[in-house]
């Protein structure tokens, strides 16, 4: 009985603290000058992971090439010159088969493919490099939540950003594709950290009514368009690597000097004086009066009195809580689908007709459609917005898959026309899923949950280049799988609780008698007991 009363008291006071912290943000300026500086710096630093993830969309592109006829031995040179298409790996002269040993590439486009001759018997290498990078993204996404929740948002984010900047420069000087692949793995590792931390870091400083607007800001799409223009201008993967690092460096310095630690993280780790100092800084920047320290201390300390010791949280806390376990499993499907769909379309950019640079610009520009999600997320809720976008994207994906499998006139044009809305709706749906994720997890496990789900999307992104490679043999495969994932996710996301206009939770409401570990233990003991009685 005492435990029940303790849990009720804890839940009541925790809800009061959540609302108090939300009111505190409103009272010290809401979405004021301080918040906008934070938004510009943190969202601007998205260039790092955004461009790093898009690098292989250009880097793995195959420039126009032809076999260098002077490298052929044993083939009649006159016959070779009469061959209309020299973009072949093997020449056949009667019963003799001669491999092309050297190739000439279009000098107007320098990618890792042309750098290390990754065609013909090495055509598998670019997709493998992309998969390795996504393996780093998965690892970083999984680890980042634990690190950020243990050591703080700022220090973790700054270290990850420095890793991406320095390794992008180092990768530009790779002498072999194997060395480049290793660098891409660790760049992916850093990207896993920044991707999972960025938005959760921002929303811990901003009022609840602004979160949907911030999530649907098309920063990544604008950066993607800028990246496509950079590729079009430089035409060289090495310069693009260095440019990616240099452009994000000013944001890196700004975050070090200006962005403080999250006061919500400080509160949940009982660093009450430091949390209050951050709140004073925010209030000062917004020309508002901070709350009285005694009142702030009183609101926080009454929760601490109900907690016997500071708990170290891990992914096991998500699995042990029935409510969080259900939420996590449902979101994992939606994140996997979003990662696969968004980056699968990017990696398959060469399957579209026309200029590769223009297609990259269009695929990013169409993503600006996601701003409409701000309106829908507030009107019909986060769940229905996600489901609607995924269903429409899936329908468009089916059309693309069927068109690619058919042999019709002007097929490339039709494929491009329907691929663009596929990209638009999967991006908008995935952004809505990200908003749900940031709002649905309590502060003590918010980055752990976000990191785990970012790792899950990394699996989707990792699978995408492999399926894209297979799509060259099985036309339409990439988009038909995409459509199936969209429909599945659209159904499952409806089962999530709605987060629209809800205060962010800060701690886990934990009932040990209802934990998954207790249920599994009881089930195991019951099974053993029945088995024992049966044998008896």
């Amino acid at each position: 009985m005492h435990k029940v009363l303790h849990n009720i008291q804890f839940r009541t006071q925790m809800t009061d603290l959540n609302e108090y912290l939300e009111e505190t943000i409103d009272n010290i300026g809401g979405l004021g000058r301080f918040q906008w500086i934070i938004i510009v710096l943190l969202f601007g630093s998205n260039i790092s992971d955004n461009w790093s993830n898009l690098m292989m969309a250009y880097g793995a592109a195959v420039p126009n090439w032809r076999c260098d006829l002077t490298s052929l031995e044993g083939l009649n040179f006159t016959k070779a010159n009469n061959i209309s298409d020299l973009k072949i790996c093997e020449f056949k002269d009667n019963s003799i088969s001669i491999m092309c040993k050297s190739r000439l590439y279009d000098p107007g486009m320098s990618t890792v493919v042309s750098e290390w001759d990754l065609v013909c018997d090495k055509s598998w290498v670019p997709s493998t490099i992309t998969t390795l990078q996504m393996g780093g993204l998965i690892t970083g996404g999984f680890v980042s939540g634990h690190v950020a929740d243990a050591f703080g948002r700022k220090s973790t984010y700054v270290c990850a950003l420095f890793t991406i900047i320095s390794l992008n420069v180092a990768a530009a000087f790779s002498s072999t594709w194997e060395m480049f692949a290793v660098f891409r793995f660790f760049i992916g590792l850093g990207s896993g950290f920044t991707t999972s931390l960025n938005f959760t870091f921002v929303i811990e400083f901003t009022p609840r009514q602004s979160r949907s607007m911030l999530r649907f800001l098309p920063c990544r799409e604008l950066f993607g368009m800028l990246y496509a223009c950079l590729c079009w201008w430089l035409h060289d993967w090495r310069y693009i690597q260095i440019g990616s690092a240099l452009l994000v460096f000013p944001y890196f310095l700004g975050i070090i000097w200006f962005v403080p630690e999250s006061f919500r993280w400080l509160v949940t780790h009982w660093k009450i004086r430091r949390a209050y100092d951050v709140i004073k800084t925010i209030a000062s920047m917004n020309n508002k009066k901070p709350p009285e320290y005694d009142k702030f201390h009183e609101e926080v300390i009454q929760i601490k009195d109900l907690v016997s010791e500071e708990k170290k949280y891990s992914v096991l806390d998500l699995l042990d809580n029935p409510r969080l376990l259900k939420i996590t499993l449902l979101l994992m499907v939606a994140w996997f689908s979003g990662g696969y769909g968004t980056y699968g379309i990017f990696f398959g950019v060469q399957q579209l007709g026309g200029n590769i640079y223009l297609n990259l610009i269009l695929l990013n520009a169409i993503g600006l459609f996601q701003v409409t999600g701000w309106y829908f997320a507030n009107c019909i809720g986060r769940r229905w917005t996600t489901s609607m976008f995924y269903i429409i994207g899936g329908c468009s994906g089916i059309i693309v898959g069927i068109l690619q499998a058919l042999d019709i006139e002007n097929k490339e044009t039709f494929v491009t026309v329907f691929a663009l809305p596929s990209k638009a709706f999967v991006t908008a749906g995935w952004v809505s899923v990200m908003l749900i994720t940031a709002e649905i997890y309590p502060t003590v496990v918010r980055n752990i949950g976000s990191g785990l789900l970012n790792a899950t999307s990394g699996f989707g992104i990792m699978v995408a280049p492999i399926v894209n490679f297979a799509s060259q043999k099985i036309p339409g495969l990439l988009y038909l799988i995409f459509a199936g994932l969209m429909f599945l996710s659209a159904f499952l996301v409806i089962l999530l609780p709605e987060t629209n206009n809800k205060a962010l939770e800060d701690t886990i409401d934990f009932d040990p008698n209802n934990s998954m570990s207790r249920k599994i233990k009881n089930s195991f003991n019951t099974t053993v007991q029945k088995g024992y009685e049966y044998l008896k």
Side-chain angles (χ1 to χ4, degrees):
M1 185 65 182
H2 174 71
K3 283 186 176 181
V4 173
L5 292 174
H6 180 276
N7 286 336
I8 293 173
Q9 183 185 9
F10 179 79
R11 284 195 295 270
T12 302
Q13 294 195 359
M14 198 65 247
T15 301
D16 291 342
L17 178 61
N18 294 340
E19 290 294 340
Y20 175 72
L21 293 178
E22 293 287 353
E23 289 173 7
T24 299
I25 293 175
D26 292 331
N27 293 336
I28 59 176
L31 197 63
R33 180 169 57 178
F34 174 87
Q35 279 75 14
W36 279 112
I37 294 174
I38 292 285
I39 290 164
V40 169
L41 290 174
L42 289 174
F43 281 7
S45 68
N46 270 335
I47 291 175
S48 62
D49 57 83
N50 182 247
W51 286 16
S52 294
N53 291 338
L54 287 177
M55 168 58 196
M56 290 307 289
Y58 173 82
V62 182
N64 288 326
W65 63 274
R66 64 181 179 85
C67 180
D68 182 3
L69 298 181
T70 60
S71 70
L72 299 175
E73 298 176 0
L75 181 66
N76 185 292
F77 193 78
T78 304
K79 284 186 177 181
N81 272 314
N82 290 333
I83 298 174
S84 59
D85 183 11
L86 293 178
K87 194 175 181 180
I88 54 178
C89 304
E90 183 180 7
F91 288 92
K92 292 185 179 180
D93 185 11
N94 297 325
S95 60
I96 301 174
S97 179
I98 302 173
M99 299 298 297
C100 178
K101 296 180 180 179
S102 177
R103 282 157 283 273
L104 300 175
Y105 290 89
D106 179 2
M109 184 180 186
S110 176
T111 69
V112 297
V113 174
S114 57
E115 181 74 26
W116 292 298
D117 196 23
L118 304 180
V119 295
C120 297
D121 59 329
K122 292 183 181 178
S123 60
W124 55 273
V125 173
S127 62
T128 302
I129 294 174
T130 306
T131 299
L132 284 173
Q133 178 178 333
M134 296 311 138
L137 187 74
I138 291 170
T139 307
F142 182 78
V143 174
S144 64
H146 295 79
V147 176
D149 282 333
F151 299 103
R153 297 357 183 181
K154 180 178 178 178
S155 56
T156 305
Y157 193 83
V158 166
C159 289
L161 207 54
F162 177 77
T163 299
I164 296 173
I165 293 171
S166 57
L167 292 184
N168 265 308
V169 174
F173 298 95
S174 299
S175 57
T176 65
W177 71 261
E178 291 90 348
M179 181 189 296
F180 181 73
V182 172
F183 279 126
R184 296 312 301 178
F185 173 83
F186 287 103
I187 290 171
L189 186 73
S191 296
F193 273 77
T194 55
T195 302
S196 63
L197 294 177
N198 187 275
F199 186 65
T200 57
F201 198 4
V202 170
I203 67 166
E204 290 179 2
F205 289 107
T206 53
R208 74 183 92 181
Q209 62 270 21
S210 304
R211 289 171 197 145
S212 62
M213 180 268 289
L214 294 174
R215 180 68 275 180
F216 285 102
L217 286 176
C219 298
R220 290 181 178 273
E221 284 63 38
L222 292 172
F223 294 151
M225 293 170 66
L226 183 61
Y227 176 78
C229 293
L230 185 72
C231 294
W232 206 341
W233 175 42
L234 296 177
H235 293 297
D236 192 309
W237 70 273
R238 293 185 187 274
Y239 294 143
I240 293 168
Q241 287 274 162
I242 296 171
S244 299
L246 293 179
L247 200 56
V248 78
F249 192 70
Y251 295 102
F252 171 72
L253 295 179
I255 291 170
I256 291 176
W257 290 331
F258 186 82
V259 178
E261 183 55 82
S262 163
F263 73 88
R264 299 189 84 118
W265 180 85
L266 293 170
V267 164
T268 58
H269 286 72
W270 315 119
K271 303 177 189 295
I272 303 174
R273 170 52 71 177
R274 284 185 59 194
Y276 182 74
D277 289 341
V278 172
I279 289 173
K280 278 181 64 179
T281 300
I282 298 172
S284 175
M285 283 288 295
N286 291 339
N287 294 319
K288 298 291 182 179
K289 183 179 178 182
E292 295 294 330
Y293 177 74
D294 291 341
K295 168 67 174 172
F296 180 78
H297 185 273
E298 180 185 348
E299 290 287 346
V300 176
I301 205 67
Q302 60 184 331
I303 299 299
K304 185 177 181 181
D305 291 341
L306 296 174
V307 181
S308 57
E309 60 181 13
E310 184 178 341
K311 177 177 170 56
K312 301 296 183 183
Y313 291 91
S314 73
V315 71
L316 296 178
D317 292 287
L318 301 181
L319 306 179
D320 203 31
N321 186 295
R323 174 177 170 271
L324 293 180
L325 176 60
K326 173 190 171 184
I327 287 170
T328 302
L329 292 176
L330 293 173
L331 284 172
M332 286 175 84
V333 178
W335 274 80
F336 179 92
S337 303
Y340 172 87
T342 300
Y343 285 94
I345 295 173
F346 271 124
F347 295 145
V349 67
Q350 279 204 311
Q351 295 183 26
L352 307 179
N355 184 292
I356 183 175
Y357 305 108
L358 185 58
N359 285 337
L360 278 173
I361 292 173
L362 288 175
L363 286 174
N364 281 288
I366 199 69
L368 298 176
F369 170 81
Q370 75 180 49
V371 298
T372 61
W374 173 21
Y375 171 79
F376 288 112
N378 287 328
C379 287
I380 63 175
R382 283 42 164 159
R383 299 176 306 158
W384 289 105
T385 298
T386 305
S387 183
M388 176 183 68
F389 285 150
Y390 272 180
I391 287 173
I392 300 173
C395 292
S396 184
I398 286 180
I399 296 173
V400 176
I402 293 173
L403 286 171
Q404 287 186 331
L406 297 176
D407 184 15
I408 59 174
E409 200 174 329
N410 298 321
K411 181 172 77 171
E412 288 186 345
T413 302
F414 286 119
V415 165
T416 302
V417 167
F418 285 99
L420 291 176
S422 296
K423 169 62 172 60
F425 285 104
V426 67
T427 299
W430 194 18
V431 169
S432 186
V433 171
M434 294 176 186
L435 176 60
I436 295 172
T437 301
E439 293 179 334
I440 208 166
Y441 284 111
T443 300
V444 291
V445 291
R446 184 169 296 123
N447 273 294
I448 292 175
S450 179
L452 176 62
L453 294 169
N454 268 282
T456 306
S457 73
F459 280 109
I461 302 172
M462 180 185 286
V463 169
I466 299 172
V467 178
N468 179 49
F469 182 69
S471 294
Q472 298 173 21
K473 306 293 183 183
I474 311 172
L477 181 64
L478 177 73
Y479 282 91
L480 291 176
I481 293 176
F482 161 79
L485 289 172
M486 291 297 100
F487 293 140
L488 176 62
S489 300
F491 169 73
L492 294 179
V493 79
I494 299 299
L495 305 178
L496 290 166
E498 184 54 67
T499 60
N500 189 20
N501 288 323
K502 300 288 178 66
L504 291 181
E505 297 179 25
D506 287 294
T507 62
I508 296 176
D509 177 15
F510 180 69
D511 181 0
N513 294 319
N514 194 38
S515 67
M516 292 303 297
S517 57
R518 175 64 66 88
K519 289 181 178 179
I520 293 171
K521 182 179 178 180
N522 291 342
S523 178
F524 176 76
N525 289 337
T526 301
T527 303
V528 171
Q529 183 65 31
K530 287 182 178 178
Y532 176 74
E533 291 175 356
Y534 176 78
L535 292 174
K536 241 175 107 178

